[in-house]
Amino acid sequence: AQSVTQLGSHVSVSEGALVLLRCNYSSSVPPYLFWYVQYPNQGLQLLLKYTSAATLVKGINGFEAEFKKSETSFHLTKPSAHMSDAAEYFCAVSAGGSYIPTFGRGTSLIVHP
Amino acid sequence: NAGVTQTPKFQVLKTGQSMTLQCAQDMNHEYMSWYRQDPGMGLRLIHYSVGAGITDQGEVPNGYNVSRSTTEDFPLRLLSAAPSQTSVYFCASRIGRAVAEAFFGQGTRLTVV
């Protein structure tokens, strides 16, 4: 069985501030982890993914995430928020033998000028 | 390079009407799935398919029907629309490996009145 919990349905930051979006997972086997971004009125697109090659994963638009097995976490960060980062962010987990990834409920990132 | 194509983009139905949401992908992906997205609920899996001729139910299958006669197409049928089915619907596809990312369509915004 696999599951994902995203802490905080909304996160609000000022432009230029650190972005931290939290994701904790549960999986009975080594997981693959993903972050997707959804801009208004669009579908989801991949931001980055963890495939066990490296615990720190860099994605598009300056985002990165660190896999911490001991904490069962895969938090998404960006050093300096930009107005264009305002979007919905989804964490997802996929593990061997599962046909379909499990998505978290999403976190809406609000960026203030 | 079309990816995943969903039609229509917008639809208004009257209660009790039926309709089919179309989804097509040109990446030869084995796995396809349908999600609905509602405020505060994230993405909920309706039905999925792991190959032509094989479908299975997800988390919220009631009121929906699917078939997969070809690798490319995965239509979602609403049998008798209800206001509770007002939502944004996303189709996704990916290759049949847990490490693979999902590719999403642009979504269909459905309103049932």
Side-chain angles (χ1 to χ4, degrees):
Chain A
Q2 57 191 33
S3 67
V4 170
T5 302
Q6 290 184 242
L7 296 175
S9 58
H10 294 83
V11 169
S12 182
V13 301
S14 297
E15 192 172 19
L18 171 72
V19 175
L20 171 61
L21 305 182
R22 300 178 185 273
C23 172
N24 289 89
Y25 70 91
S26 173
S27 175
S28 57
V29 296
Y32 300 108
L33 295 157
F34 307 80
W35 275 101
Y36 290 85
V37 60
Q38 182 185 30
Y39 297 107
N41 300 314
Q42 294 188 26
L44 282 70
Q45 61 186 81
L46 183 71
L47 202 53
L48 51 81
K49 67 178 179 181
Y50 167 74
T51 63
S52 77
T55 56
L56 184 62
V57 182
K58 294 187 184 300
I60 61 173
N61 300 335
F63 284 92
E64 62 182 35
E66 185 172 10
F67 173 72
K68 292 187 177 181
K69 184 178 178 180
S70 61
E71 299 177 8
T72 61
S73 69
F74 190 57
H75 301 332
L76 182 70
T77 60
K78 182 174 180 178
S80 177
H82 193 273
M83 296 295 289
S84 60
D85 294 327
E88 189 87 13
Y89 292 81
F90 292 91
C91 183
V93 62
S94 181
S98 68
Y99 291 123
I100 300 292
T102 299
F103 286 84
R105 290 199 167 193
T107 298
S108 178
L109 177 64
I110 302 160
V111 183
H112 296 287
Chain B
N1 191 15
V4 180
T5 302
Q6 288 184 238
T7 56
K9 287 186 169 51
F10 302 94
Q11 183 70 50
V12 178
L13 286 180
K14 293 183 179 179
T15 298
Q17 286 185 318
S18 63
M19 80 159 293
T20 299
L21 279 62
Q22 301 291 344
C23 176
Q25 54 96 3
D26 61 359
M27 297 172 283
N28 202 31
H29 287 170
E30 301 101 308
Y31 292 180
M32 296 186 75
S33 52
W34 276 103
Y35 297 87
R36 58 177 291 172
Q37 183 178 26
D38 303 289
M41 302 297 291
L43 292 173
R44 291 185 291 171
L45 182 65
I46 304 171
H47 286 284
Y48 65 96
S49 169
V50 300
I54 306 170
T55 64
D56 205 347
Q57 297 181 351
E59 180 185 357
V60 288
N62 293 341
Y64 307 95
N65 206 353
V66 292
S67 60
R68 182 103 180 265
S69 56
T70 66
T71 298
E72 294 78 18
D73 299 300
F74 190 44
L76 178 72
R77 297 182 188 84
L78 278 70
L79 308 173
S80 177
S84 61
Q85 293 178 305
T86 293
S87 186
V88 181
Y89 292 84
F90 287 99
C91 178
S93 75
R94 69 182 182 102
I95 63 173
R97 293 174 58 204
V99 69
E101 69 182 271
F103 291 81
F104 285 81
Q106 293 294 294
T108 295
R109 185 173 296 273
L110 175 68
T111 302
V112 183
V113 298

